[in-house]
Amino acid sequence: MSVLTSEAFGVETTREESRRIRRRSLGLLRSLLRPVAGAAWATAALVVGSQLAAVAGPALVAYGIDQALPALTAGDAQPITLATAAYLAAALLGGLLTAATVRASARVSQTMLLDLRRRVFRHTQRLSLEFHETYTSGRIISRQTSDVDALRELLDGGVTTLASGVLAMLFTAVSLVLLDWRSGLVLLIAVVPGVVLTRWFQVRSQVQYRKQRTAAARLIVRFVETMTGIRAVQAFRREPQVGGVYGGLAEDYRETNARSIRLNGVFDTGLTLIGNVTVAAVLLVGGLRALDGALEVGVLVAAVLYARRFFNPLQQIGMFYNSFQSATAALEKVASLLAEEPTVPEPLHPARLVHARGDVRFEDVEFGYGTGPTVLPQIDLHVPAGQSIALVGETGAGKSTIAKLLARFYDVRAGAVRLDGLDLREIDPVDLRRAVVMVTQEAYLFSGSVGANIALGKPEATPAEIEAAARAVGVHDLIVSMPDGYATEVDKRGVRLSAGQRQLVSFARAFLADPALLILDEATSSLDVPGEALVQLGLQTLLAGRTSVVIAHRLSTVMGSDRVLVIEGGRIVEDGSPDALVAAGGRFADLHTDWQRSLRRST
Amino acid sequence: MPTPESTTRVLLRLRHWARPALPRIALGGLTALGASLLALAVPQVLRVIVNGPLLTAGSQRGVVLGALVVLGLGVLEAFLVWCRRALLLTPGTGVERDMRTDLFRHLLDLPVEFHDRWSGGQLLSRIMSDLGTIRRWTVFGLTMLAVSSATLVVGIGLMLATSWVLGLVYLVGAVPMIWLGFRFREDYKVVARQARDQAGDLATTVEESVHGIRVLKAFGRGDDALDDFVRQADDLRTTEVHKARTLSRVSFALGAIPEAILAVALGFGVVLTSRGELSVGALVAFFATAAVVNGPVERLGMLLAMTLDAKAATDRYLQVMDTASTVRDPQDPVALPAADPAGSRVELSGVHFVHPRGGSDILAGIDLVLEPGETMALVGLTGSGKTTLLQLVPRLYDVTAGSVRIDGVDVRDLTRADLRSAVSIAFEDPILFSASVRENVLLGTDLTGPAADELVREALDVARAGFAYDLPDGLDTVIGEEGLSLSGGQRQRVALARAIAVRPRVLLLDDPLSALDVTTETAVTLRLRRMLTGTTTLVVAHRPSTVALADRVAVLEDGRITGVGRHEDLLSSHPHYRYVLTALSALDDAQPDELAEVRP
């Protein structure tokens, strides 16, 4: 939580830095606008047109009373017919233009949003795991959902509101000046307190807005975490404490909400007051002049109507300012995500590797995470095609790191990892992913059918192939016993699978993918012994003549491999066949003794 | 879904939370009404000025007086606007907060079975955006609905009084507008709902693409995921554009009709005035009144929409609030007898369990007794119901038949608080919270100060979680989703330490060491055994090394306990047990270590 808040709100940035961030955010907005520039200008033209039509109303009323009325009294019906017809036309045109604006602006904003969504999604998929692990999933998700929504809110209503609001005020003022410049002067004087009030509101509401977002984010984070961990909350009787903390956060949120409503109330009241005083002033000035005959009654009425109308859009403009603030803040975060460089870049000149054999080499490999300490000081290793090797060592020794380098989840700091003689960094990503598949401890299932989850290993697979893969890992009988067989949904709405069953499904996925090099990182930890045996049996047949790298805590898994590497402190300290290592009496032999003892239960 | 109820009835149920705020809401409504009546009075003053001092009397004093009255009315209106804001502010936000904390507490009380069925996103949208909708309606929508209706009635009355012809023209135009505004809701609601659902699905896709990033990367499926996502996003775009088209129809009507009414009124009005049937002042007043009334007319459709939205939000809120907890504290709770230093006796008799969503019995008549202080391993194939059985003891689920007893007391006769302070559990998938290591370990205890420090030290030591001292801030390092991410083995050890720190009478461990390497596991096992003296323990085991922790073993097979005994005895006498732990089904008398070696 502290991480979230400090990252999102509290970090002090230098002025230069914040300007740079701002520029990047506006640059993103521009690049989104570029492809739709033509349509955007057309929308703006529609807004101008509809506002012109709207502003014609009071002028026509004034004309009707001052010109057409005397004319009609004098027997000339043409002016009033004209005025009525013109007003009707303006009404119709205004309505049509407003409707067209709504459509056009939706098209523009939705095209921009689709573009932004696609960019962010593609970019997060390209970013390396290293980034995902430090940035945390919650933040990436909120970048792609609530931050995009903030821009959506701005585009949806904000821009047209602003444009029509500003134009309405401008046209109203111009019309009034044209009609009677003295009344216009009164209005212009009234603008001064209006501007001061609006500016005050902007500054205060911006501060308030940020506080409100922070309070809401805290509330959401606490809620999500509690609901995700509801089992632990209930099992450890945390309900009163958790409820108390949440109640406090809810009160904070209420307080910030109340403050911003209060602020809005002052703004609202102020605008009403300024507007009403202006109406009275226009009436007084105009009325006195009308007495002298210097002003016609119709013009006075129009002036009063204009004065009343003038301040209406200010409130909407205030609201636009809020959504603009929130959208630029959100875009700043999205832009900084898009500016992240993948630490595992795609090759500029990819080398094809259509039929990989699975010959693996580590040459003088040095590696550490990010700018952190070196984890693997020097690894030299050759795994001939077809060999099955097992990595053994304590937690944190570097086994998983070696596996991740092999799958190119990370790139080496020095040296090279080669597959069939090619540097992994040069291989076409499509070929690499076909040749190398890694199965990890977390068996993640996507929402959808269990069949579709297996097919992830090979999207073009036939149902028969999917079933064969499921049979090979022994999960076929389980799937057939589910309500809809392979079409059974495996999410919240569907069947809940146990941890072991999920691992079996993810194994079936790997079977279907049929890679030249298979990496298993603790992929069998939740399986029961028969399940593991079945998977191994399947692997032996499937991977006959293929390369495999297995990390497992269970020595039963390790003993079946061709070769064992014992890793300690990021170095290979023992290397040989399991039997040879046991016979040699080193660390692996000790592990083996521990294991034997645990099997015999000699306590 | 509950049976559909009328909008009024659903919204009336908000009284429960709104009661303390009702006087202020009523008063706020009155001030709002006053403000809009004042706004309506201004055109009347205008009429008097135009007809009196301006056109006939030519009195300067009359004009100044009129302007002053307008000024006074304007200031008073602004004051009333402020009063309304001030009056409605506290009740609106307070009602929202109370409803929010009530829902949260209710969710904490609802059993795990409920949370299995409901996705977090659905609950989150209820507690955040639905309650926000209700707040906006109570603060703004409800009063504005009343005020707009009143303004409309009074305004049209005034217009009719000014000139019944012009008033009629206005009325004829306003009715279709209100009807349209309301009718539009119905069409719009369908598209808006569709867009909301599609946006929800899109968010789910995003969430899965992030949580499943390792799988997508491992299989190189990023591009496929992108294609799926873009297809969904494009569907959403189509729906949004369709929504805009629906909206544009009503914008056309709401933009064109009021102005068209005024155009017609202008024609009629000028004709009437020229015939001397209407004064110029009345004509002016009519237009000024129409300018005031147009607002509420345009707003009415929106306000009705808001009311329907609030109804939908209230429905969604009540849907959860009306779900009664199936796991409740008993009417007359029994106190758990004092702990025997030797440990508690746990007894499961005739226990059945069926998932609420139907299906066959997962547990079909479990009879099992854990003697005081005993450690028993529970062994069975994956998916056989071991985890479910474990969760029946602290009542995370309730048995569907039979009973679970601790020291002779049915767990359903205890308060959940008493029960869960006597029973502690370590889950297979360790759930840690965004808090320091220390807070995570102490989650189940109320200890503070040096005693707590000692407890943490000991629990971490037993769980061999010494790595915690080497974290950047030691035991104060924040872990969990918002903090430092730990490896699977590390998380498991912290979760184990947490379960131990409770010093429970009954300890339940769900395959607690699956992510540990053999050496660490042996060390943890040794310490655990020493520590568990006097604690009755049930441990789910997948491998022989975990079984080593136990005095006796129970075999779970097809929803029943088919064997209880010592590991060695079961290994030679119980074929299913041998199969589960060694994957060998043939009866042979090989050594256990060879049995466990799987060499296809």
Side-chain angles (χ1 to χ4, degrees):
Chain A
M1 187 120 163
S2 57
V3 176
L4 175 86
T5 43
S6 69
E7 162 67 30
F9 311 101
V11 174
E12 289 293 326
T13 44
T14 62
R15 181 166 295 186
E16 181 53 36
E17 175 80 359
S18 94
R19 209 175 293 146
R20 199 174 55 81
I21 291 172
R22 191 78 172 182
R23 262 204 306 277
R24 194 162 61 189
S25 145
L26 293 176
L28 174 61
L29 194 59
R30 264 198 302 278
S31 79
L32 288 170
L33 265 169
R34 203 166 299 130
V36 291
W41 282 115
T43 311
L46 286 172
V47 172
V48 174
S50 64
Q51 286 309 315
L52 275 175
V55 91
L60 285 165
V61 172
Y63 173 81
I65 295 178
D66 293 337
Q67 315 290 326
L69 182 56
L72 188 62
T73 320
D76 181 7
Q78 204 189 358
I80 185 58
T81 319
L82 265 176
T84 308
Y87 203 162
L88 269 176
L92 214 63
L93 191 67
L96 280 175
L97 288 174
T98 309
T101 310
V102 170
R103 289 181 190 211
S105 75
R107 254 194 305 271
V108 169
S109 68
Q110 288 299 323
T111 309
M112 286 171 71
L113 282 173
L114 179 62
D115 187 16
L116 180 64
R117 287 199 171 108
R118 197 178 52 82
R119 282 197 215 182
V120 180
F121 190 92
R122 192 182 53 193
H123 195 72
T124 43
Q125 286 295 319
R126 292 223 169 126
L127 285 170
S128 28
L129 277 184
E130 186 169 6
F131 174 81
H132 280 269
E133 275 160 9
T134 50
Y135 203 78
T136 76
S137 56
R139 279 157 69 203
I140 298 179
I141 293 169
S142 75
R143 285 305 88 87
Q144 292 197 62
T145 53
S146 65
D147 287 343
V148 173
D149 276 348
L151 178 66
R152 182 208 136 100
E153 250 163 57
L154 174 72
L155 293 176
D156 257 13
V159 173
T160 44
T161 308
L162 175 75
S164 57
V166 168
L167 282 171
M169 290 179 74
L170 189 70
F171 288 164
T172 308
V174 169
S175 308
L176 186 57
V177 170
L178 287 179
L179 202 63
D180 174 47
W181 67 269
R182 287 187 182 83
S183 299
L185 206 62
V186 174
L187 192 69
L188 287 184
I189 292 167
V191 164
V192 176
V195 166
V196 171
L197 180 69
T198 308
R199 180 71 200 144
W200 171 84
F201 176 69
Q202 276 178 1
V203 173
R204 295 292 299 270
S205 73
Q206 185 182 345
V207 176
Q208 203 50 49
Y209 172 79
R210 290 210 178 125
K211 283 186 186 155
Q212 196 184 336
R213 295 310 302 162
T214 315
R218 288 208 174 117
L219 208 55
I220 292 174
V221 166
R222 180 62 56 157
F223 181 82
V224 169
E225 187 170 80
T226 308
M227 291 306 137
T228 316
I230 190 76
R231 276 163 211 265
V233 170
Q234 294 192 347
F236 292 99
R237 301 170 290 116
R238 285 298 94 179
E239 294 97 330
Q241 286 83 349
V242 167
V245 170
Y246 187 83
L249 292 174
E251 170 55 25
D252 289 349
Y253 182 59
R254 187 202 71 76
E255 182 60 30
T256 56
N257 259 334
R259 276 176 199 276
S260 66
I261 295 176
R262 204 173 292 146
L263 201 61
N264 234 305
V266 173
F267 183 56
D268 204 13
T269 309
L271 282 182
T272 311
L273 189 65
I274 295 173
N276 286 347
V277 171
T278 311
V279 167
V282 168
L283 182 64
L284 181 68
V285 174
L288 291 177
R289 286 168 53 230
L291 274 182
D292 306 339
L295 191 69
E296 285 166 86
V297 174
V299 174
L300 173 63
V301 172
V304 169
L305 287 184
Y306 278 136
R308 230 200 123 69
R309 201 178 257 211
F310 181 76
F311 289 95
N312 283 348
L314 259 188
Q315 207 178 350
Q316 290 167 327
I317 293 174
M319 271 148 91
F320 160 81
Y321 193 75
N322 274 349
S323 58
F324 180 73
Q325 282 295 342
S326 103
T328 43
L331 269 184
E332 278 168 15
K333 290 185 191 147
V334 175
S336 78
L337 177 67
L338 287 175
E340 288 287 338
E341 294 284 340
T343 50
V344 179
E346 290 187 6
L348 285 175
H349 306 289
R352 296 305 306 266
L353 182 66
V354 182
H355 299 289
R357 289 177 296 117
D359 179 272
V360 174
R361 267 179 204 281
F362 279 67
E363 291 173 351
D364 289 328
V365 165
E366 186 195 324
F367 178 74
Y369 292 95
T371 54
T374 304
V375 179
L376 307 176
Q378 205 217 348
I379 298 275
D380 272 295
L381 175 67
H382 177 224
V383 183
Q387 196 174 56
S388 68
I389 69 166
L391 302 181
V392 175
E394 286 227 25
T395 309
K399 306 182 300 277
S400 291
T401 307
I402 293 177
K404 285 173 188 164
L405 289 180
L406 260 179
R408 209 186 163 218
F409 282 2
Y410 294 87
D411 273 345
V412 297
R413 269 188 192 166
V417 180
R418 292 180 191 280
L419 179 64
D420 293 353
L422 288 170
D423 193 318
L424 291 188
R425 286 169 292 193
E426 290 160 8
I427 300 177
D428 186 314
V430 175
D431 291 338
L432 179 66
R433 293 303 163 205
R434 192 170 46 232
V436 181
V437 159
M438 173 154 154
V439 183
T440 62
Q441 191 178 10
E442 312 145 71
Y444 190 81
L445 298 189
F446 294 87
S447 65
S449 70
V450 62
N453 265 292
I454 297 175
L456 196 89
K458 184 183 173 190
E460 70 278 10
T462 63
E465 285 177 300
I466 293 173
E467 192 185 312
R471 275 185 199 281
V473 299
V475 76
H476 173 74
D477 291 341
L478 171 74
I479 296 174
V480 170
S481 75
M482 292 181 191
D484 299 317
Y486 280 85
T488 309
E489 301 278 318
V490 285
D491 51 15
K492 280 249 178 194
R493 277 158 287 181
V495 175
R496 275 178 74 89
L497 297 181
S498 75
Q501 290 166 339
R502 285 203 302 274
Q503 279 195 340
L504 286 176
V505 171
S506 76
F507 257 112
R509 224 180 241 167
F511 260 80
L512 196 61
D514 193 16
L517 167 61
L518 182 66
I519 308 159
L520 305 177
D521 185 0
E522 294 293 344
T524 53
S525 61
S526 294
L527 294 185
D528 51 38
V529 179
E532 191 186 3
L534 204 55
V535 165
Q536 285 205 335
L537 194 68
L539 283 179
Q540 295 287 341
T541 46
L542 177 93
L543 293 182
R546 286 168 206 249
T547 318
S548 66
V549 174
V550 176
I551 301 173
H553 293 318
R554 302 189 192 179
L555 254 57
S556 53
T557 315
V558 172
M559 294 305 287
S561 56
D562 298 336
R563 179 178 167 193
V564 172
L565 303 176
V566 180
I567 314 291
E568 199 178 283
R571 292 171 198 277
I572 300 170
V573 291
E574 288 176 26
D575 180 353
S577 76
D579 293 335
L581 288 183
V582 170
R587 290 174 179 84
F588 183 72
D590 293 344
L591 274 178
H592 189 256
T593 315
D594 279 349
W595 175 59
Q596 294 272 318
R597 197 182 296 132
S598 82
L599 288 178
R600 289 203 198 87
R601 292 193 61 234
S602 46
T603 43
Chain B
M1 283 295 286
T3 51
E5 285 182 87
S6 82
T7 306
T8 329
R9 186 176 308 195
V10 169
L11 290 174
L12 272 177
R13 287 195 54 192
L14 290 176
R15 271 178 318 180
H16 174 73
W17 290 275
R19 188 162 296 130
L22 278 178
R24 298 186 69 138
I25 291 179
L27 213 58
L30 278 180
T31 55
L33 189 61
S36 52
L37 291 182
L38 284 178
L40 278 174
V42 173
Q44 298 304 318
V45 177
L46 211 56
R47 182 179 66 153
V48 173
I49 296 175
V50 171
N51 281 343
L54 221 50
L55 289 182
T56 50
S59 142
Q60 193 169 3
R61 202 167 154 270
V63 171
V64 173
L65 206 65
L68 280 177
V69 171
V70 169
L71 180 68
L73 290 176
V75 172
L76 199 58
E77 187 199 345
F79 174 70
L80 286 178
V81 166
W82 185 78
C83 282
R84 172 173 64 94
R85 290 288 196 160
L87 280 168
L88 290 179
L89 175 76
T90 336
T93 54
V95 168
E96 184 194 14
R97 181 205 52 204
D98 292 347
M99 289 179 77
R100 177 167 288 131
T101 46
D102 279 2
L103 178 58
F104 189 75
R105 281 174 203 281
H106 187 62
L107 285 174
L108 287 180
D109 192 54
L110 282 169
V112 170
E113 174 268 318
F114 173 89
H115 292 277
D116 285 346
R117 276 186 292 129
W118 285 74
S119 74
Q122 283 294 343
L123 297 176
L124 182 65
S125 64
R126 276 169 175 75
I127 206 163
M128 292 305 293
S129 64
D130 285 342
L131 285 182
T133 304
I134 294 173
R135 179 208 346 125
R136 275 189 292 277
W137 183 74
T138 46
V139 169
F140 178 75
L142 179 60
T143 45
M144 286 317 280
L145 191 65
V147 169
S148 294
S149 313
T151 310
L152 193 66
V153 171
V154 175
I156 289 182
L158 281 173
M159 284 193 264
L160 282 169
T162 310
S163 154
W164 66 268
V165 180
L166 294 186
L168 218 56
V169 168
Y170 193 88
L171 200 59
V172 167
V175 170
M177 260 176 66
I178 294 171
W179 181 79
L180 259 174
F182 187 66
R183 185 57 233 274
F184 147 77
R185 273 335 284 174
E186 300 297 305
D187 302 342
Y188 189 71
K189 217 164 48 181
V190 178
V191 201
R193 176 63 194 256
Q194 193 189 356
R196 204 177 295 179
D197 288 347
Q198 284 180 344
D201 289 346
L202 201 64
T204 309
T205 306
V206 165
E207 200 179 324
E208 290 189 349
S209 78
V210 173
H211 284 144
I213 186 78
R214 280 176 192 77
V215 177
L216 292 177
K217 281 213 184 282
F219 290 92
R221 293 287 166 252
D223 287 345
D224 296 313
L226 178 65
D227 289 347
D228 278 353
F229 174 80
V230 170
R231 194 175 36 71
Q232 273 183 301
D234 198 42
D235 286 349
L236 175 62
R237 186 184 65 95
T238 312
T239 310
E240 289 285 355
V241 171
H242 178 59
K243 193 170 103 183
R245 216 173 298 138
T246 315
L247 184 65
S248 76
R249 277 202 294 277
V250 79
S251 335
F252 168 70
L254 289 181
I257 296 179
E259 294 292 316
I261 298 173
L262 292 186
V264 174
L266 179 67
F268 272 106
V270 168
V271 170
L272 287 175
T273 315
S274 74
R275 288 192 199 147
E277 290 170 31
L278 191 69
S279 68
V280 175
L283 188 59
V284 169
F286 173 82
F287 279 108
T289 308
V292 175
V293 178
N294 265 352
V297 170
E298 284 172 35
R299 230 177 3 237
L300 216 56
M302 192 264 289
L303 288 172
L304 287 172
M306 214 175 160
T307 307
L308 288 178
D309 273 350
K311 188 250 177 185
T314 311
D315 264 339
R316 282 162 57 85
Y317 176 82
L318 291 174
Q319 188 188 0
V320 176
M321 287 304 281
D322 288 346
T323 308
S325 179
T326 48
V327 176
R328 261 172 301 187
D329 283 340
Q331 287 279 326
D332 305 301
V334 176
L336 200 60
D340 187 316
S344 287
R345 187 182 149 93
V346 178
E347 197 177 350
L348 289 85
S349 43
V351 165
H352 283 255
F353 184 78
V354 192
H355 255 298
R357 267 170 297 171
S360 52
D361 284 15
I362 293 169
L363 301 177
I366 299 281
D367 291 299
L368 183 65
V369 177
L370 277 73
E371 297 299 341
E374 176 183 43
T375 297
M376 182 178 278
L378 186 62
V379 172
L381 285 175
T382 181
S384 60
K386 304 183 294 292
T387 301
T388 308
L389 190 150
L390 230 57
Q391 300 191 61
L392 293 176
V393 182
R395 290 189 73 202
L396 291 175
Y397 295 94
D398 260 350
V399 296
T400 39
S403 67
V404 178
R405 288 168 190 281
I406 295 178
D407 289 331
V409 182
D410 191 313
V411 290
R412 284 168 297 184
D413 292 335
L414 296 164
T415 63
R416 281 168 294 169
D418 279 356
L419 171 65
R420 289 170 187 168
S421 55
V423 178
S424 172
I425 185 164
F427 299 98
E428 182 180 18
D429 176 21
I431 307 157
L432 301 180
F433 292 94
S434 298
S436 68
V437 176
R438 188 196 313 274
E439 287 166 302
N440 266 292
V441 172
L442 289 173
L443 195 71
T445 71
D446 302 315
L447 281 180
T448 49
D453 289 343
E454 175 58 25
L455 190 66
V456 172
R457 201 191 54 73
E458 199 185 331
L460 288 176
D461 182 51
V462 172
R464 257 203 117 214
F467 69 87
Y469 297 100
D470 302 330
L471 296 175
D473 298 322
L475 298 187
D476 295 319
T477 309
V478 174
I479 53 176
E481 164 75 3
E482 298 300 336
L484 195 76
S485 54
L486 302 178
S487 77
Q490 291 173 325
R491 281 189 293 147
Q492 226 174 25
R493 277 178 279 170
V494 174
L496 181 62
R498 176 173 70 190
I500 298 168
V502 176
R503 304 229 166 246
R505 291 162 75 158
V506 179
L507 181 63
L508 307 161
L509 304 173
D510 193 354
D511 206 9
L513 310 172
S514 65
L516 305 190
D517 58 71
V518 186
T519 314
T520 314
E521 186 184 7
T522 314
V524 175
T525 308
L526 274 173
R527 284 166 218 228
L528 256 184
R529 273 198 74 86
R530 218 176 308 140
M531 211 228 99
L532 290 181
T533 333
T535 308
T536 311
T537 307
L538 184 59
V539 52
V540 167
H542 272 139
R543 37 180 175 167
S545 49
T546 316
V547 171
L549 204 58
D551 303 310
R552 288 195 302 162
V553 184
V555 187
L556 183 60
E557 184 184 359
D558 298 330
R560 287 195 174 77
I561 300 292
T562 56
V564 178
R566 286 163 28 88
H567 170 71
E568 291 81 0
D569 300 341
L570 286 173
L571 210 53
S572 56
S573 68
H574 198 298
H576 184 71
Y577 182 70
R578 189 194 354 259
Y579 172 66
V580 173
L581 277 200
T582 66
L584 295 181
S585 50
L587 284 164
D588 71 36
D589 52 359
Q591 287 300 304
D593 56 327
E594 285 168 8
L595 281 169
E597 277 188 27
V598 183
R599 293 193 201 217

